[in-house]
Amino acid sequence: MKNLTIVADSNIASLDEFFNPVALGQNTEQQVQVIRVAGRDINAQLMANVQPDVLLIRSVTSINESLLSENNSVKFVGSATIGTDHVDQEYLAERNITFANAAGCSKHSVAQYVLTAILTLRPQYWQQSTKPLTLGIIGLGNIGSTLAQYANDLGWKILGYDPLLATSDINNASLEQVLSQSDIVSLHVPLTDKKDTDAQGTFSNSISNNVSDYPTRHLINAETLTLMSPHTMLINSARGPVIDAAALEADIDATERQVVLDVFEHEPQISESLLSKLAIATPHIAGYTLEGKLRGTQIIYDALCEKLAVLPVLSMHQLLPLNTYLWFELKEHPDRLQKFYDIRKDDAALRNKITNGKVKGSDFDQLRRDYHLRREWQAQTISVTI
């Protein structure tokens, strides 16, 4: 019986626990070989030489014909991430290669990142006696809608925009209204380009071939930035090119706007010029919680089990240590925010990597690779006294 060979981004959590013969329901005569590779080092030569059956990636690996043209073995590609702009799904379908992504895996992680950024920079919004802030959310998929739930729990007003979803309590405004009437604008859209045919899917979820009637590349540009008050904070934890970096720098120079970026247009390289203007900058780790990472692995593991026609035998909850962080505790004691997540440490770590006027790509990737995973706030433990 043929052995199962897997090429995997080494930054995927718990590879050994999820992808082994026992977890994948293979018999004792069949071996599972996992070849760990840095995501940016997964290239056409590697795929041609190794000829793996399975390819497991994150967002830094582009999946397309140029990567797989000399490979005739891959039958399954799994991306342990929400976004799919790095994957040519039409090409995979033509090759009859099964694709799975981890939709929703880090929705709580990213939403909590956004809340932390807001409350670190503007702690007055904890106080119910002050005028509630208006939070503008562009893109209301898994992450955007989860952020809206948290905001609603805090008593904040929500203005949401997602042109391919039905009007609702949170999808209640135009793009212009969100930009011009919000105290905070948070971006939660995929990276898409213009297409000529009718859009499929939703603005906030994966769109086939990464094109849309509502393109998001440079959605925030010189023109849209003029719609925003100088006092409006802008947060991007979606995809870097959603914001025109040059226009953003000019805007900050003119308005002194507070801007929080976890993603960057020219990532993984970042200029010191841009970093120096940001209120908070972090190295694409908004979704990097232990729960979020394990959830991403769990989703592609379950999908591979379905492809292999075996029952999954492992749950992420078997691997999680107990967590005492509680969302209701944070709401009652906002002064404990740093106990939950000290975002300033991640900001400092990125700025400390500046050399010769920029953060090098290798240093950016190193920060992500060696990141100490946070915990999500909703996890809790039960203490029993006998």
Side-chain angles (χ1 to χ4, degrees):
M1 184 174 291
K2 183 181 182 298
N3 294 334
L4 189 68
T5 301
I6 300 173
V7 166
D9 185 325
S10 56
N11 204 26
I12 294 175
S14 299
L15 282 168
D16 291 339
E17 288 80 4
F18 279 98
F19 300 98
N20 61 68
V22 174
L24 291 173
Q26 308 303 297
N27 63 45
T28 55
E29 297 178 359
Q30 187 173 15
Q31 297 297 313
V32 175
Q33 181 185 20
V34 178
I35 300 173
R36 299 166 175 264
V37 184
R40 297 190 199 278
D41 292 337
I42 298 175
N43 54 37
Q45 182 178 354
L46 174 71
M47 296 303 294
N49 291 342
V50 175
Q51 293 291 324
D53 307 284
V54 174
L55 176 58
L56 306 179
I57 61 167
R58 290 185 58 82
S59 59
V60 300
T61 304
S62 295
I63 304 299
N64 48 40
E65 184 175 1
S66 64
L67 178 72
L68 298 175
S69 60
E70 300 300 319
N71 174 279
N72 55 22
S73 62
V74 169
K75 299 301 181 186
F76 178 91
V77 173
S79 182
T81 60
I82 292 177
T84 59
D85 54 270
H86 56 303
V87 178
D88 186 340
Q89 295 184 59
E90 289 186 359
Y91 172 72
L92 293 184
E94 290 172 2
R95 287 276 305 269
N96 198 30
I97 298 173
T98 301
F99 173 68
N101 70 303
C105 66
S106 59
K107 61 183 182 180
H108 288 286
S109 312
V110 178
Q112 290 166 13
Y113 171 94
V114 172
L115 289 176
T116 300
I118 294 170
L119 295 170
T120 296
L121 294 173
R122 300 187 184 180
Q124 67 270 24
Y125 286 129
W126 278 117
Q127 305 302 319
Q128 297 299 322
S129 59
T130 63
K131 178 184 176 182
L133 76 83
T134 298
L135 176 61
I137 305 174
I138 300 176
L140 294 166
N142 283 306
I143 296 174
S145 59
T146 300
L147 176 60
Q149 292 171 7
Y150 280 104
N152 184 68
D153 203 20
L154 288 168
W156 297 351
K157 180 180 178 181
I158 300 161
L159 289 179
Y161 170 70
D162 197 319
L164 296 181
L165 292 177
T167 300
S168 66
D169 289 344
I170 60 172
N171 191 23
N172 56 6
S174 66
L175 177 62
E176 292 76 12
Q177 287 173 319
V178 170
L179 293 174
S180 63
Q181 299 176 23
S182 300
D183 299 300
I184 316 284
V185 172
S186 190
L187 306 175
H188 300 285
V189 297
L191 179 61
T192 59
D193 291 295
K194 183 68 177 177
K195 73 171 185 176
D196 297 324
T197 57
D198 291 338
Q200 302 293 322
T202 72
F203 188 53
S204 313
N205 292 325
S206 305
I207 299 178
S208 178
N209 211 31
N210 305 316
V211 289
S212 170
D213 278 339
Y214 298 93
T216 63
R217 186 181 296 275
H218 286 189
L219 178 69
I220 303 301
N221 52 44
E223 180 180 357
T224 51
L225 283 165
T226 62
L227 298 174
M228 300 170 63
S229 162
H231 302 292
T232 299
M233 183 192 302
L234 178 62
I235 303 175
N236 188 13
S237 56
R239 285 291 185 263
V242 171
I243 297 179
D244 181 334
L248 180 66
E249 284 200 53
D251 173 77
I252 298 173
D253 286 340
T255 66
E256 298 185 346
R257 183 186 314 285
Q258 286 183 314
V259 176
V260 177
L261 295 186
D262 182 57
V263 291
F264 305 83
E265 181 174 13
H266 305 297
E267 182 181 319
Q269 285 196 159
I270 311 169
S271 70
E272 183 178 11
S273 173
L274 174 60
L275 273 179
S276 67
K277 295 176 172 63
L278 300 176
I280 292 176
T282 53
H284 202 155
I285 47 74
Y288 274 31
T289 61
L290 182 57
E291 286 82 0
K293 279 254 195 173
L294 285 176
R295 198 176 290 117
T297 308
Q298 176 87 65
I299 291 171
I300 60 172
Y301 161 73
D302 289 344
L304 179 56
C305 286
E306 181 177 354
K307 175 72 174 179
L308 297 174
V310 299
L311 290 175
V313 297
L314 184 65
S315 167
M316 59 177 275
H317 300 292
Q318 297 169 242
L319 306 177
L320 281 172
L322 295 176
N323 187 4
T324 58
Y325 291 174
L326 309 176
W327 170 229
F328 71 79
E329 177 192 349
L330 181 55
K331 287 193 296 179
E332 293 297 321
H333 303 281
D335 56 307
R336 301 178 186 174
L337 180 64
Q338 289 188 352
K339 168 185 174 183
F340 288 76
Y341 174 31
D342 186 355
I343 198 171
R344 294 285 192 192
K345 287 186 177 180
D346 289 340
D347 174 85
L350 181 58
R351 295 178 194 274
N352 287 339
K353 292 294 185 179
I354 295 174
T355 56
N356 298 322
K358 66 182 179 181
V359 174
K360 295 189 297 184
S362 58
D363 288 337
F364 187 90
D365 286 343
Q366 180 266 328
L367 287 172
R368 301 184 74 206
R369 183 183 66 248
D370 298 338
Y371 187 74
H372 180 71
L373 297 176
R374 314 185 304 274
R375 299 298 304 273
E376 290 182 355
W377 299 344
Q378 67 273 20
Q380 56 184 290
T381 60
I382 299 175
S383 298
V384 178
T385 302
I386 299 177

